[in-house]
């Protein structure tokens, strides 16, 4: 199957009312590689944290009722050709 980031740690944080950003899991998964993050859920501070990372990153926000679209994939594909 495709690689994926493990977000199970978020359940405990959410139950405790803590910040449960997915970015922690994404950072652990990608290491220092450039990455595209397409998601319909973003926590306050995620975009600022991404811009502070040493590697290139791209966040594309999706609509939770539509999901990932061809436009998202096209933008991501165009972006990764820079590397």
């Amino acid at each position: 199957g495709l690689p994926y980031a493990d977000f199970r740690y978020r359940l405990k944080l959410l139950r405790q009312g803590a910040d449960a950003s997915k970015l922690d899991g994404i950072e652990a998964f990608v290491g220092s590689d450039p990455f595209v993050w397409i998601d319909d859920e973003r926590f306050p501070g995620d975009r600022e944290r991404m811009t502070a990372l040493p590697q290139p990153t791209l966040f594309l926000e999706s609509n939770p009722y539509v999901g990932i679209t061809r436009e998202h994939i096209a933008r991501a594909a165009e972006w990764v050709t820079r590397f």
Side-chain angles (χ1 to χ4, degrees), residues 4-5 9 17 20 24 27 35-36 38 43-44 50 52-53 55 57 60-63 71 73 80 83:
Y4 65 94
Y9 70 92
D24 295 327
E27 283 183 88
F35 68 92
V36 176
I38 304 172
F43 279 78
M50 283 182 65
L53 293 172
Q55 74 265 42
T57 62
L60 300 174
E61 194 163 350
S62 60
N63 181 318
E71 180 183 341
I73 300 303
V80 299
F83 308 99

Side-chain angles (χ1 to χ4, degrees), residues 11-69:
L11 296 175
K12 183 178 180 181
L13 291 172
L14 288 169
R15 288 185 191 120
Q16 296 170 348
D19 178 9
S21 171
K22 294 178 184 175
L23 190 51
D24 295 327
I26 293 169
E27 283 183 88
F29 180 78
V30 301
S32 61
D33 293 335
F35 68 92
V36 176
W37 177 12
I38 304 172
D39 206 330
D40 64 353
E41 178 184 49
R42 182 170 46 101
F43 279 78
D46 281 346
R47 192 174 300 272
E48 291 78 19
R49 281 181 58 196
M50 283 182 65
T51 58
L53 293 172
Q55 74 265 42
T57 62
L58 175 64
F59 179 82
L60 300 174
E61 194 163 350
S62 60
N63 181 318
Y65 301 104
V66 176
I68 297 173
T69 65

